[in-house]
Amino acid sequence: MAKISSLAKIRDMHDNEKQVAQRSYAESQETFEKIARELYSLLKKKEMAESTFENAIQASTSIEKIKEQSAYIEKLTNQIQTVQLLVQRARNDMNSKQTKLSEAYIEYKKYDKMIDLKKEEAKAVLKKQEAEFMDEMSMQQYLRQNQR
């Protein structure tokens, strides 16, 4: 039983690591989603700005307006590139934390399985001892009956 309790302590330690990894993964997932939403917003703005730019060119709008719109689109493009890098970093971070979470879960399950196996072994040993005891009792009872 001492072996089972020591395995249980190790399993609990791995359970704590798993919970920390779960929280860390959830945080990285939220960060990724937040940055991805920002990227989506910028892409929508750029799409609308390009549409406005096309309409301005066809409607023969002043050169100043067209330059402003072009500069705005270029600014959005630069922001999009920056945010795309942030999205990629957040995705990589999220993936690495997911890997750590999987590893922690595997370690937890490994010790959980070892504990289950040790308990089954202990049950089997106890059952075998009970059977041997019953055999011994039956043998003694038989021998007593034959001695009479």
Side-chain angles (χ1 to χ4, degrees), residues 121-134:
E121 286 176 15
K123 279 183 184 177
V125 166
L126 187 60
K127 195 171 189 175
K128 183 179 177 190
Q129 288 173 344
E130 287 176 356
E132 289 173 356
F133 180 73
M134 293 301 284

Side-chain angles (χ1 to χ4, degrees), residues 7-16 108 111-112 115:
L7 287 174
K9 287 179 184 178
I10 294 171
R11 181 195 60 195
D12 292 343
M13 181 187 74
H14 284 291
D15 185 40
N16 289 339
Y108 171 79
Y111 281 96
D112 199 37
I115 289 170

Side-chain angles (χ1 to χ4, degrees), residues 36-48:
R37 278 192 294 275
E38 182 181 341
L39 177 62
Y40 178 77
S41 172
L42 286 171
L43 289 170
K44 289 298 275 181
K45 284 181 185 177
K46 183 180 176 192
E47 184 180 315
M48 290 172 56

Side-chain angles (χ1 to χ4, degrees), residues 4-146:
I4 291 175
S5 65
S6 63
L7 287 174
K9 287 179 184 178
I10 294 171
R11 181 195 60 195
D12 292 343
M13 181 187 74
H14 284 291
D15 185 40
N16 289 339
E17 289 175 4
K18 182 183 76 162
Q19 290 174 2
V20 167
Q22 282 175 329
R23 284 191 296 273
S24 179
Y25 174 68
E27 288 171 6
S28 69
Q29 196 174 23
E30 288 174 18
T31 301
F32 171 76
E33 289 173 358
K34 179 182 154 202
I35 296 171
R37 278 192 294 275
E38 182 181 341
L39 177 62
Y40 178 77
S41 172
L42 286 171
L43 289 170
K44 289 298 275 181
K45 284 181 185 177
K46 183 180 176 192
E47 184 180 315
M48 290 172 56
E50 287 175 341
S51 175
T52 304
F53 180 74
E54 288 297 321
N55 290 339
I57 289 177
Q58 293 189 5
S60 65
T61 309
S62 72
I63 300 272
E64 269 316 298
K65 289 278 187 187
I66 292 175
K67 282 183 181 180
E68 284 177 21
Q69 199 65 29
S70 178
Y72 179 65
I73 290 172
E74 189 160 327
K75 178 184 161 202
L76 285 174
T77 302
N78 290 337
Q79 287 178 339
I80 288 170
Q81 289 174 349
T82 302
V83 173
Q84 281 177 331
L85 288 174
L86 294 175
V87 166
Q88 188 59 41
R89 285 184 193 141
R91 180 182 290 119
N92 291 342
D93 183 50
M94 184 179 67
N95 288 340
S96 73
K97 289 184 178 177
Q98 184 179 26
T99 301
K100 287 179 184 176
L101 174 60
S102 296
E103 290 169 359
Y105 183 76
I106 289 169
E107 284 298 312
Y108 171 79
K109 289 304 276 183
K110 190 187 308 180
Y111 281 96
D112 199 37
K113 187 70 173 174
M114 279 194 261
I115 289 170
D116 289 344
L117 290 174
K118 291 291 180 188
K119 285 180 180 178
E120 290 297 318
E121 286 176 15
K123 279 183 184 177
V125 166
L126 187 60
K127 195 171 189 175
K128 183 179 177 190
Q129 288 173 344
E130 287 176 356
E132 289 173 356
F133 180 73
M134 293 301 284
D135 287 346
E136 183 67 30
M137 294 289 288
S138 296
M139 186 69 101
Q140 288 176 4
Q141 196 174 28
Y142 176 76
L143 289 174
R144 275 190 238 134
Q145 282 180 350
N146 285 342

